[in-house]
Amino acid sequence: MSSSRRGAALALALSALLGAGSTAAAQVPVKLGVLADMSGIFSDIGGKGALEATLMAVEDFRKLPGSDALKIDVVSADAQNKPDISSGIARKWFDSEGVDVLVDLPTSAISLAVAPLVKEKNKVALFTASGTSELTGKACTPNSVHWTYDTWALAHGTADAIAKAGGKSWFFLTVDFALGHSLERDATAVINAEGGKVVGAVRHPTDTKDFSSYLLQAQGSGAKVVALANAGGDTITAIKQAAEFGLVDGGQSLAGMLLFISDIHSLGLQTAQGLQLTTGFYWDQNEQTRAFGKRFAERNGGRYPTMNQAGAYSASLAYLKAVAKVGSAKDGAAVVKAMREAGSFDDPLFGKTSLREDGRVIHPMMLVQVKKPAESKGPYDYYKILATIPAENAFRPLKGSECPLVK
């Protein structure tokens, strides 16, 4: 090769190398922070499974055309189910560690505390594990996205079905924080609308070990339905102890206002059979959900995904697509706007999905019943789908919304 050709070849190689370097340097940085209960009573619902689901979303995003424009990092921390600790972690992440978006947020109290901070810093919060419908009401922000479920949807699924089937008198056993209060409030409205009546209620602290005094009050009320307006370990403990007290044998029925497939697994079908609940996701619903569920289980010791973990996957994937469209993760409100402007799309786990101006992600919900042991064909084959609630009916309508973003 002549010296001139060698020089040209060298120049071309150098140009290619510099071009590759400039492409790498031009990658848009985006960092997701999974703030979940890693060690407490909600860890099976979200926890490390929520982190794994977020990592799966990143993997799947990287398969899409143009995804190499983003440099994606994921960090995680234990929220410890405490609003002050969670707010401190979020502030540190935002101020000094470059985190752009929060995923999971394990309790309503944490979410309500963190939402104003996210707005102040112009970041994004993907509330995939929070229940209170206040997040899309008075507490809505242009930086918040409420995925998966909320107390309005749960109440209008489970309470409505049970009330219409003849469950007219109710007693609430309610966890004393934002989630429980919202569940009781939203379900009470449904019960009253169906001509039923709430004859009593009692509130208990988070992570209660002994429900005996509360269950005695529920028995003494004479209510036909004892509603458990709590979640995670509290719900599991309450149901187990209710069985010991003979509530169901005595003619009362239990209504789990917020139950997850991990709860059913912990309870066992012998104890949980017949329970009705509302969920936004079930791994055995269709081919796409089954593929995700089996892939998730292979990475998580055989445990199949809860709807919160599915929510972490879908919300993270939608968020990354919006960042790629905007070209930056720095303006959180702009990213949320891009998510909303994407319009209705077919989410692989939740079906027909869209984001409203109040921050509420709407998608179909399902009313399911826990199978009898003889009906289950294997691990996590736990649900019979009784009804599918269309997206437009599953969540609180915008009419009369208290969210200041709704025109």
Side-chain angles (χ1 to χ4, degrees):
M1 183 184 293
S2 68
S3 59
S4 61
R5 286 187 177 180
R6 279 198 301 271
L10 182 61
L12 185 62
L14 182 60
S15 174
L17 183 61
L18 289 172
S22 63
T23 300
Q27 278 189 310
V28 173
V30 54
K31 184 177 284 191
L32 297 88
V34 180
L35 188 54
D37 176 8
M38 298 295 184
S39 57
I41 61 171
F42 307 125
S43 55
D44 286 345
I45 297 169
K48 294 178 181 178
L51 172 60
E52 195 62 49
T54 303
L55 293 172
M56 290 170 66
V58 173
E59 290 175 12
D60 290 350
F61 174 76
R62 284 178 171 147
K63 299 173 185 176
L64 301 177
S67 61
D68 56 355
L70 302 188
K71 181 182 182 300
I72 307 168
D73 291 307
V74 179
V75 296
S76 65
D78 189 348
Q80 299 180 48
N81 298 328
K82 296 179 180 179
D84 56 340
I85 289 177
S86 298
S87 296
I89 292 169
R91 186 175 294 276
K92 181 183 177 184
W93 275 356
F94 293 156
D95 290 346
S96 61
E97 298 186 21
V99 169
D100 301 294
V101 58
L102 303 178
V103 184
D104 192 281
L105 290 307
T107 73
S108 297
I110 287 173
S111 298
L112 291 169
V114 168
L117 174 63
V118 173
K119 180 183 176 183
E120 173 195 333
K121 300 294 183 179
N122 197 19
K123 303 294 186 175
V124 175
L126 301 176
F127 296 120
T128 59
S130 309
T132 179
S133 55
E134 289 300 309
L135 288 169
T136 52
K138 293 178 181 178
C140 76
T141 82
N143 299 72
S144 300
V145 175
H146 197 181
W147 208 286
T148 316
Y149 71 97
D150 63 27
T151 52
W152 194 98
L154 297 175
H156 284 74
T158 307
D160 187 58
I162 294 174
K164 285 180 176 175
K168 297 299 184 182
S169 61
W170 292 63
F171 184 95
F172 277 89
L173 206 161
T174 303
V175 64
D176 194 12
F177 69 87
L179 169 72
H181 302 169
S182 293
L183 278 171
E184 182 181 332
R185 179 199 65 214
D186 290 342
T188 297
V190 174
I191 294 162
N192 292 338
E194 289 295 330
K197 183 179 181 181
V198 176
V199 299
V202 64
R203 292 181 174 177
H204 68 85
T206 306
D207 203 11
T208 292
K209 304 302 182 187
D210 183 2
F211 281 88
S212 56
S213 65
Y214 308 122
L215 292 169
L216 285 170
Q217 292 181 62
Q219 282 183 315
S221 73
K224 189 166 185 178
V225 182
V226 178
L228 304 177
N230 48 23
D234 283 331
T235 306
I236 293 169
T237 302
I239 291 174
K240 286 180 177 178
Q241 293 182 9
E244 295 169 3
F245 272 73
L247 255 74
V248 175
D249 291 339
Q252 293 176 297
S253 61
L254 290 175
M257 301 308 299
L258 178 55
L259 281 166
F260 298 87
I261 200 166
S262 55
D263 301 330
I264 306 305
H265 188 72
S266 295
L267 288 165
L269 293 183
Q270 190 64 43
T271 300
Q273 61 181 310
L275 282 171
Q276 290 186 19
L277 60 117
T278 303
T279 183
F281 170 83
Y282 178 42
W283 73 270
D284 200 19
Q285 184 183 3
N286 56 49
E287 289 185 9
Q288 287 181 299
T289 57
R290 279 189 285 274
F292 175 80
K294 291 175 181 178
R295 178 181 160 206
F296 181 94
E298 288 170 358
R299 301 161 65 128
N300 287 272
R303 296 183 297 275
Y304 277 70
T306 66
M307 68 168 164
N308 285 2
Q309 291 159 346
Y313 171 89
S314 291
S316 296
L317 186 58
Y319 168 80
L320 290 171
K321 290 178 180 178
V323 172
K325 181 180 179 181
V326 173
S328 171
K330 298 309 174 188
D331 185 345
V335 175
V336 172
K337 182 180 179 183
M339 292 177 71
R340 186 168 59 253
E341 290 177 345
S344 180
F345 62 95
D346 286 315
D347 183 85
L349 305 186
F350 290 88
K352 188 69 72 176
T353 299
S354 60
L355 172 61
R356 298 191 315 203
E357 57 261 46
D358 61 347
R360 177 69 258 169
V361 170
I362 63 168
H363 52 73
M365 297 287 286
M366 291 170 283
L367 179 68
V368 303
Q369 185 173 50
V370 179
K371 291 182 175 181
K372 298 176 181 178
E375 295 173 320
S376 176
K377 297 177 182 178
Y380 292 88
D381 176 24
Y382 294 160
Y383 293 162
K384 291 186 291 187
I385 299 174
L386 302 179
T388 298
I389 306 166
E392 59 271 20
N393 299 331
F395 295 93
R396 180 174 56 194
L398 281 175
K399 184 179 180 181
S401 173
E402 294 182 291
C403 172
L405 302 174
V406 177
K407 297 178 181 179

